[in-house]
């Protein structure tokens, strides 16, 4: 069971909040494709989108952090890099084992353990720094 977007994840930074919502929507679509036994092409298409989107999203966040001399930027950026590595691991699991239960579980864990907690802590702290 996937988790969905919750308004308590809003940071108050419109650009970032819109991108977070899109990430949740796309991860949800990935999980649905896996659960519904959709073809590998669909799952691969979603992974390709996520690859590109997280880079774009993280670049936007990091641009904001650099523009305001955010002192937590190095740690925040490290977490972004970890997420990209973890997403690569999900793609590896997909290549090795297809869109099975293991991939669904790993994707859910990634959303809950990383994405949600990252937004709740790191991104909200950035928003606080920005006065939002």
């Amino acid at each position: 069971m996937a988790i969905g977007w919750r308004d308590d994840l809003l940071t108050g930074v419109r650009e970032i909040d819109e991108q977070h919502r899109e990430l949740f929507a796309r991860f949800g679509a990935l999980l649905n494709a896996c659960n519904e036994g959709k073809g590998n092409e669909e799952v691969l298409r979603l992974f390709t989108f996520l690859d590109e989107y997280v880079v774009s999203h993280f670049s936007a966040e990091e641009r904001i952090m650099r523009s305001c001399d955010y002192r937590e930027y190095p740690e925040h950026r490290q977490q972004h890099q970890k997420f990209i590595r973890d997403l690569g691991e999900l793609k590896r699991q997909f290549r090795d084992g297809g869109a099975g239960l293991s991939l669904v579980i790993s994707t859910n864990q990634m959303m809950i353990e990383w994405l949600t907690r990252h937004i709740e802590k790191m991104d909200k702290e950035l928003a606080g720094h920005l006065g939002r």
Side-chain angles (χ1 to χ4, degrees):
M1 180 86 186
I3 62 165
W5 174 258
R6 309 181 322 248
D7 283 345
D8 67 323
L9 296 173
L10 289 168
T11 65
V13 180
R14 186 172 161 222
E15 175 184 16
I16 300 303
D17 288 335
E18 288 172 1
Q19 292 173 1
H20 286 161
R21 280 190 184 107
E22 185 65 22
L23 278 171
F24 271 82
R26 295 302 178 128
F27 268 104
L30 173 64
L31 289 168
N32 287 338
C34 291
N35 285 329
E36 294 171 7
K38 299 257 171 123
N40 286 347
E41 298 84 23
E42 174 70 9
V43 175
L44 186 58
R45 184 183 65 77
L46 289 164
F47 269 125
T48 299
F49 171 85
L50 284 167
D51 269 348
E52 295 169 2
Y53 198 79
V54 296
V55 169
S56 172
H57 168 66
F58 291 158
S59 294
E61 277 191 6
E62 290 170 15
R63 176 183 39 80
I64 290 169
M65 286 184 267
R66 286 188 311 271
S67 73
C68 69
D69 293 322
Y70 188 53
R71 69 177 172 86
E72 300 299 325
Y73 169 72
E75 179 184 354
H76 203 127
R77 185 168 188 272
Q78 280 183 327
Q79 287 198 7
H80 287 169
Q81 291 169 339
K82 181 184 181 325
F83 186 88
I84 291 168
R85 287 190 305 273
D86 290 348
L87 183 57
E89 176 60 21
L90 288 178
K91 283 178 61 177
R92 187 199 59 74
Q93 286 180 25
F94 170 68
R95 282 191 309 270
D96 292 351
L101 181 60
S102 175
L103 183 68
V104 170
I105 290 168
S106 295
T107 302
N108 260 318
Q109 286 175 335
M110 186 174 184
M111 287 183 68
I112 293 167
E113 294 297 320
W114 196 95
L115 187 58
T116 301
R117 289 196 176 111
H118 178 82
I119 293 170
E120 288 174 336
K121 179 170 178 14
M122 302 293 289
D123 290 346
K124 286 193 171 194
E125 286 175 5
L126 171 61
H129 178 78
L130 297 171
R132 306 280 164 69

